[in-house]
Amino acid sequence: VGIRMAISTVASEEAKYKVMLKDWLVSFVLVFLMQYIIAFTLNANNALVSIMEKAMTNASENSIYADIMDTFARQGADPLSFLVFYIKRMLTLAFLVIISPIVTITYSIDKMGDNQSQALNKWVKEFVYTVLIQPFQCLIYIVFATTALTLMQDRTLGAAILGCIMLLFIHQAEEYSVLNMLTT
């Protein structure tokens, strides 16, 4: 790009090559900044999950059914489905981190055609969504599990049925929220 700029005599070509050179420099800087973007996103996720964990710990320590909450938190409504989901999430994040240098390097090439970087935009959206879905899932789990266990303390048939429905709804709420986020 630099050599073409030096030998180009047409002003419109020089301007095009200057834009290409600028995009190449941005791509070069992004290669080094991407690790900080990844670290910031992961740290933000960990902070949000930590806040929710502290809130849940404080709530369960002050309640009369702390043992039930601990058992439910350890076993979960369906622990295998949570395990499968988090393994899939871990593999997706590993893949996104591995391809991040390639996405940043191709930034300048991607911008040449329509002056937009679809690959980088898609990567950032997918990475941030995959990381930050965890606090949302924690919130759903906390709200539904706490409410269901509170209802089950009444020891009535209606409360037990409603509590079971809420526990079953945890996965449906996640799927609905995921579809909603993807379409917006």
Side-chain angles (χ1 to χ4, degrees):
V1 171
I3 294 171
R4 284 186 176 177
M5 273 180 58
I7 62 173
S8 178
T9 57
V10 179
S12 63
E13 284 185 14
E14 273 187 37
K16 182 175 82 171
Y17 291 136
K18 282 183 183 179
V19 169
M20 288 172 59
L21 184 61
K22 180 190 71 83
D23 290 340
W24 182 83
L25 287 172
V26 169
S27 177
F28 186 73
V29 169
L30 278 173
V31 168
F32 296 105
L33 288 179
M34 188 59 71
Q35 62 189 336
Y36 295 109
I37 293 169
I38 292 169
F40 175 77
T41 306
L42 292 174
N43 286 334
N45 175 62
N46 291 340
L48 289 171
V49 171
S50 167
I51 289 169
M52 288 183 199
E53 180 183 14
K54 286 178 186 174
M56 188 62 190
T57 302
N58 291 340
S60 68
E61 285 175 357
N62 297 330
S63 67
I64 59 173
Y65 52 91
D67 295 337
I68 297 170
M69 282 301 290
D70 289 341
T71 303
F72 186 76
R74 272 187 258 117
Q75 294 177 353
D78 185 5
L80 185 61
S81 67
F82 287 123
L83 177 67
V84 168
F85 185 81
Y86 278 100
I87 288 174
K88 178 186 173 279
R89 181 177 171 266
M90 179 191 66
L91 293 174
T92 302
L93 285 174
F95 176 74
L96 289 171
V97 168
I98 289 169
I99 67 165
S100 66
I102 297 168
V103 171
T104 57
I105 289 172
T106 61
Y107 171 83
S108 58
I109 298 167
D110 196 16
K111 282 200 69 162
M112 273 189 231
D114 58 357
N115 205 24
Q116 293 182 354
S117 176
Q118 293 91 353
L120 183 63
N121 292 342
K122 175 77 173 161
W123 184 91
V124 168
K125 188 183 291 185
E126 185 71 25
F127 181 77
V128 170
Y129 165 76
T130 304
V131 170
L132 294 181
I133 191 70
Q134 184 180 15
F136 182 74
Q137 290 169 336
C138 288
L139 184 63
I140 289 173
Y141 185 81
I142 289 169
V143 167
F144 284 117
T146 305
T147 306
L149 289 174
T150 303
L151 285 172
M152 288 181 186
Q153 293 296 315
D154 291 344
R155 296 182 190 255
T156 63
L157 181 62
I161 291 172
L162 189 56
C164 290
I165 289 171
M166 291 183 87
L167 293 178
L168 293 172
F169 186 70
I170 289 175
H171 293 296
Q172 291 175 346
E174 288 176 4
E175 290 174 16
Y176 179 74
S177 66
V178 168
L179 291 174
N180 238 0
M181 288 180 178
L182 290 176
T183 58
T184 55

